[in-house]
Amino acid sequence: MEIDIAVRESDDRRLKTKYKNAIYVIQRAFALYSVDEVAFSFNGGKDSTVLLHLLRAGYYLHKAEKIGCNGDLMDGEIAYPIRTIYFESASAFPEINSFTYETAKSYGLQMEIIRLDFKAGLEALLKAKPIRAIFLGVRIGDPTAVGQEQFSPSSPGWPPFMRVNPILDWSYRDVWSFLLTCKVRYCSLYDEGYTSIGSVHDTVPNGLLCIRDSSNPEGKFRPAYLLADGRLERAGRVKKNSSPPCGQLASVSNGLKSRDLSWHSMLTASIIAVGDEILFGTVEDKLGSSLCGRLHSIGWTVSQLAVTRNDIDSVADEVVKRKSTNDMVFIYGGIGPLHSDVTLAGVAKAFGVRTAPDEEFEEYLRHLIGEKCTGDRNEMAQLPEGITELLHHEQLPVPLIKCHNVIILSATNVAELDLQWDCLLDLSSSNGLLVLMEPLQSKRLCTNSSDVEAAQPLSKLCLEFPDLHIGAYRASRNGPLIITFQGKDQGRIAAATAALSEKLHTGQFSEVD
């Protein structure tokens, strides 16, 4: 079978693990139900395209095992008999319809076309030809995936059948890794910047894939597999009266703020430090301020720097609060095999998923700590299930961990943070992991004016320059007042400092290094 061979010959260990688990679910279903009792819901999208080829491979392997074949059969010697259901809609993209029919013809699918809504269509289908289980291309990030397992009975009020979800724990990256590795055909819309396809009324190309340069006046888009951040997969699923401008999203789902995410927008991050030792005052946290500076250097603002206890619920509560109000959350501390290392479990709880062994990550750990990777140390390879993406870089002994818009750093000091940050930027240059914005410009002025003298002029200045962040602090209560200006336009900062010198007549100004 060409699919099985392509995956086995791949160097992608994560893909091999996901493939193996999906094939196990499929073969388990064939052990529980006869072929006449199962069906496959195909809609032409990328997820159901993946499932189609997994079912082809799974059925091939199932039959080959039953007849005692060692893999010597040709693909054509085992026919694909699984009933395929296509719910055709008048609002579907023509490209989706064309791809679906062409795929059915290419692989000899026994496709039944239903022109009713999903629930009514299922009721009619099960009444005419009873089936016990339906294979679905549901993934953990889908709105319908909440509460589902690989085998889940249909919801109350629906016709009774078993939902079989072989790719429930697959990520956006896993889907594209499979399609590209196996070199199977997919709908042409994905090459035009569409990343999640619904109907013609609620789907546009993903603005984050827009090609932003002067040679692209027509607003062309890069293909879907170049979207680095899977949490923005559904960014093109919007209510549309007209297409949004290239690079501007009308809305963003998956926990992000509904707002403009154009190239020049301000992106925000939160930073969470996990550590009782920081709260006890026995350790000074230097990573937080260092990370703030690095985020500012790529044009991001930091909305929150929080320290939380080494406690699963505390970590989960903090992540829940931050992940939905920020574009990215960085968390560090509490990574390892000790009883107090609870960051991964806290992140998993924040997203409502379990932790499960990750064979690829465990292999990295084994190379790092040898045969000691047993017992409690094996807990380090328990990662949030279905939402984890490993960020590989040749300079890192183990990959960094990303769960939707949460990046988990393993740095314990500033030098290690520098290395991990440089690796993140390196990855961003090739796959857009972090959107690199215009750096924030900063300037600090020092004056011996009192707080009373400076208060009103500074307040007026903030109203005149709303695009700048203007603040003030003292290194000591009796020391000079230091006024800070931060923004993306050096000219605006210069104008603000000049305006302040006119408003604040007393005191001498000097620039702070």
Side-chain angles (χ1 to χ4, degrees):
M1 176 59 173
E2 80 281 4
I3 298 298
D4 189 64
I5 293 173
V7 174
R8 283 194 282 112
E9 293 181 349
S10 169
D11 294 328
D12 190 335
R13 289 176 293 181
R14 177 185 172 93
L15 175 61
K16 289 181 178 180
T17 299
K18 297 294 184 180
Y19 172 78
K20 178 182 176 181
N21 293 342
I23 292 297
Y24 172 79
V25 173
I26 292 169
Q27 291 183 317
R28 179 64 178 156
F30 288 143
L32 293 171
Y33 309 103
S34 69
V35 172
D36 294 334
E37 295 176 320
V38 300
F40 163 47
S41 178
F42 185 53
N43 61 16
K46 62 185 186 304
D47 297 338
S48 65
T49 301
V50 166
L51 183 53
L52 165 64
H53 294 289
L54 288 172
L55 285 171
R56 291 179 59 233
Y59 184 74
Y60 173 90
L61 295 171
H62 171 70
K63 290 297 291 183
E65 182 179 337
K66 286 190 69 174
I67 63 177
C69 172
N70 294 321
D72 297 328
L73 285 176
M74 299 295 291
D75 290 347
E77 293 184 40
I78 294 182
Y80 177 82
I82 302 174
R83 291 172 59 193
T84 302
I85 311 164
Y86 178 47
F87 290 85
E88 187 175 274
S89 169
S91 60
F93 282 86
E95 292 88 345
I96 285 287
N97 279 330
S98 298
F99 172 74
T100 302
Y101 285 109
E102 290 169 8
T103 300
K105 183 178 180 181
S106 297
Y107 295 103
L109 304 184
Q110 302 177 22
M111 193 163 75
E112 302 175 32
I113 302 169
I114 298 177
R115 294 182 174 88
L116 299 170
D117 66 79
F118 195 75
K119 185 175 182 181
L122 276 180
E123 290 174 343
L125 176 74
L126 296 177
K127 185 176 181 180
K129 298 179 180 179
I131 53 179
R132 297 178 61 194
I134 300 178
F135 290 101
L136 300 170
V138 174
R139 290 191 291 114
I140 200 70
D142 297 341
T144 58
V146 178
Q148 290 206 48
E149 302 287 345
Q150 272 80 14
F151 289 85
S152 290
S154 55
S155 301
W158 283 69
F161 65 93
M162 182 65 72
R163 294 175 288 188
V164 184
N165 304 310
I167 63 170
L168 186 65
D169 65 338
W170 285 42
S171 68
Y172 184 84
R173 173 207 164 194
D174 297 328
V175 166
W176 281 109
S177 179
F178 178 88
L179 292 174
L180 297 177
T181 297
C182 297
K183 298 179 181 178
V184 295
R185 185 168 172 262
Y186 51 83
C187 180
S188 62
L189 289 175
Y190 293 111
D191 286 332
E192 299 173 12
Y194 291 82
T195 52
S196 178
I197 301 174
S199 76
V200 295
H201 304 301
D202 65 5
T203 309
V204 296
N206 193 318
L208 294 178
L209 290 173
C210 181
I211 301 173
R212 301 176 177 88
D213 57 44
S214 57
S215 64
N216 182 31
E218 298 180 1
K220 294 183 179 179
F221 294 80
R222 293 177 294 155
Y225 56 78
L226 293 181
L227 181 68
D229 195 340
R231 71 192 168 98
L232 294 175
E233 171 187 358
R234 299 178 66 85
R237 299 290 286 270
V238 297
K239 290 293 183 182
K240 58 173 185 176
N241 296 318
S242 59
S243 296
C246 178
Q248 184 174 356
L249 308 180
S251 68
V252 175
S253 61
N254 290 320
L256 292 182
K257 293 179 289 185
S258 178
R259 62 174 180 79
D260 178 16
L261 275 181
S262 66
W263 184 252
H264 296 291
S265 298
M266 188 70 74
L267 297 175
T268 63
S270 272
I271 300 171
I272 303 173
V274 180
D276 290 341
E277 62 277 8
I278 300 174
L279 295 172
F280 292 160
T282 57
V283 171
E284 179 184 358
D285 175 33
K286 297 181 180 179
L287 297 186
S289 59
S290 183
L291 189 53
C292 286
R294 281 153 179 73
L295 285 162
H296 291 162
S297 72
I298 62 169
W300 286 54
T301 60
V302 178
S303 64
Q304 183 83 16
L305 173 55
V307 181
T308 187
R309 295 178 53 201
N310 285 90
D311 173 83
I312 293 176
D313 289 336
S314 298
V315 173
D317 290 345
E318 199 64 46
V319 172
V320 167
K321 286 188 286 187
R322 306 304 164 203
K323 69 183 178 69
S324 60
T325 55
N326 291 270
D327 299 291
M328 196 69 77
V329 178
F330 295 86
I331 186 168
Y332 56 88
I335 303 293
L338 299 177
H339 68 286
S340 58
D341 294 329
V342 297
T343 296
L344 289 171
V347 171
K349 185 170 183 178
F351 284 101
V353 301
R354 300 169 299 190
T355 58
D358 187 289
E359 294 181 9
E360 180 183 0
F361 197 67
E362 186 167 0
E363 186 65 23
Y364 276 98
L365 294 176
R366 193 173 301 280
H367 283 298
L368 186 65
I369 59 180
E371 294 306 315
K372 295 179 180 178
C373 189
T374 57
D376 290 340
R377 289 178 176 83
N378 199 42
E379 294 298 314
M380 295 172 66
Q382 299 272 340
L383 304 183
E385 187 177 35
I387 63 171
T388 295
E389 179 181 353
L390 297 180
L391 307 178
H392 305 268
H393 195 282
E394 58 184 10
Q395 294 187 33
L396 297 175
V398 294
L400 297 178
I401 300 167
K402 178 173 176 290
C403 299
H404 291 323
N405 64 328
V406 177
I407 293 180
I408 302 166
L409 302 170
S410 57
T412 59
N413 56 54
V414 173
E416 292 175 355
L417 177 65
D418 287 343
L419 174 61
Q420 293 181 12
W421 180 257
D422 289 342
C423 292
L424 285 175
L425 292 188
D426 192 24
L427 292 171
S428 298
S429 65
S430 59
N431 63 17
L433 175 65
L434 292 176
V435 179
L436 306 183
M437 312 285 286
E438 183 182 350
L440 292 174
Q441 305 293 325
S442 298
K443 189 171 184 179
R444 293 189 296 168
L445 296 180
C446 179
T447 176
N448 56 14
S449 300
S450 68
D451 289 357
V452 174
E453 293 170 326
Q456 188 172 16
L458 283 175
S459 297
K460 291 182 178 180
L461 200 66
C462 291
L463 296 175
E464 291 179 26
F465 295 87
D467 55 320
L468 301 180
H469 182 273
I470 302 172
Y473 70 95
R474 295 181 187 275
S476 64
R477 177 48 55 191
N478 296 321
L481 181 67
I482 299 175
I483 301 171
T484 62
F485 300 84
Q486 191 173 67
K488 292 195 172 183
D489 189 334
Q490 191 66 51
R492 292 285 290 170
I493 292 177
T497 57
L500 181 62
S501 65
E502 293 181 4
K503 297 178 185 297
L504 196 58
H505 300 293
T506 60
Q508 297 295 315
F509 285 94
S510 62
E511 192 164 342
V512 180
D513 292 333

